[in-house]
Amino acid sequence: VQAGVAPPLRSDGRRVTLRLHVLVLVDGAKLRTFAHKGVVCVPHATPSDDDESPVDDRAALVSQLGRRRRPPVFVLSEAAADPGLLVDDADDGTALTNRVFDGCVDVARAVGAALARHAVTAAPGHRFAHLLGCDVMLDRATLLPKLLEVNAFPALGWGSMKAAPTALFEYLSLDFLDLAVLPALRPPADREERLGGFVAAPPPFPTMGGGPTVE
């Protein structure tokens, strides 16, 4: 059972969950993580108040009624121009989204810390990459991220992410190819990595007590 986030970030009275895509790239014994800028923001279907009681007792998240009433999902960058999408009464959208994404980079670093503790490596001369979908909620008072769940096979434009903009996943897929796949196919002299929408989340990784929590 996931721990609650209190008080959670809300928009229009609804909690907002973020879907962050984290690329794990391993070259031999070298492990790196990257956070993608295309963060998907998913408002919950039903508003709730400060004690987490639903304002409307009807179906919230899993029923067909809840799905019909769920507000549109949006990409974090949209909140730069309209910060009210993410935080009620916010003024500076650019500062807000930059701060939230900085927290997302810390989540990617925390994922790297968890993998490093398990000594995830590749054989010498080998390389592998894996794209993870991290579900994150933000503390309303501090905007610090709380990692709720890591999806090993995240939905890309289908399932829970069906309502997200298709262009986002095209962008994410191309960036994944540019950073994780194509460099291995190029001659050694032309293996410069192209980050695209990915941002490196380099070590030192945060400790369990200093950043987002990881189980």
Side-chain angles (χ1 to χ4, degrees):
V1 177
Q2 296 169 343
V5 177
L9 185 70
R10 289 193 186 89
S11 174
D12 194 25
R14 293 173 168 85
R15 287 173 290 174
V16 179
T17 301
L18 309 184
R19 167 59 62 87
L20 166 69
H21 294 96
V22 174
L23 172 63
V24 179
L25 191 57
V26 180
D27 286 291
K30 183 179 180 181
L31 184 152
R32 293 179 291 161
T33 55
F34 303 82
H36 198 267
K37 294 178 181 178
V39 179
V40 183
C41 303
V42 185
H44 288 203
T46 300
S48 60
D49 55 25
D50 280 339
D51 66 3
E52 295 308 302
S53 301
V55 172
D56 182 343
D57 290 333
R58 293 176 297 173
L61 296 177
V62 297
S63 75
Q64 293 300 319
L65 175 62
R67 289 174 186 172
R68 285 198 301 270
R69 298 188 302 122
R70 185 186 296 276
V73 303
F74 58 94
V75 181
L76 178 61
S77 58
E78 295 180 54
D82 185 4
L85 285 172
L86 193 62
V87 179
D88 293 330
D89 301 322
D91 295 321
D92 190 337
T94 299
L96 170 66
T97 54
N98 287 343
R99 186 175 177 185
V100 170
F101 186 71
D102 286 346
C104 290
V105 174
D106 278 343
V107 169
R109 295 175 66 203
V111 170
L115 294 173
R117 287 197 299 272
H118 291 282
V120 175
T121 61
H126 289 72
R127 167 189 178 107
F128 74 82
H130 197 103
L131 187 68
L132 302 172
C134 298
D135 292 333
V136 178
M137 290 191 76
L138 301 175
D139 182 286
R140 185 173 63 196
T142 64
L143 292 184
L144 287 176
K146 302 295 182 181
L147 179 57
L148 303 178
E149 179 177 289
V150 177
N151 299 276
F153 300 99
L156 300 179
W158 51 274
S160 60
M161 292 290 109
K162 184 177 180 180
T166 302
L168 167 66
F169 297 108
E170 295 174 351
Y171 174 40
L172 173 63
S173 299
L174 291 173
D175 288 341
F176 178 87
L177 289 172
D178 267 346
L179 180 56
V181 179
L182 295 182
L185 304 179
R186 300 187 185 109
D190 186 31
R191 287 187 177 173
E192 178 184 358
E193 293 179 336
R194 300 177 177 91
L195 292 177
F198 282 106
V199 173
F205 296 124
T207 61
M208 291 294 288
T213 55
V214 178
E215 298 294 334

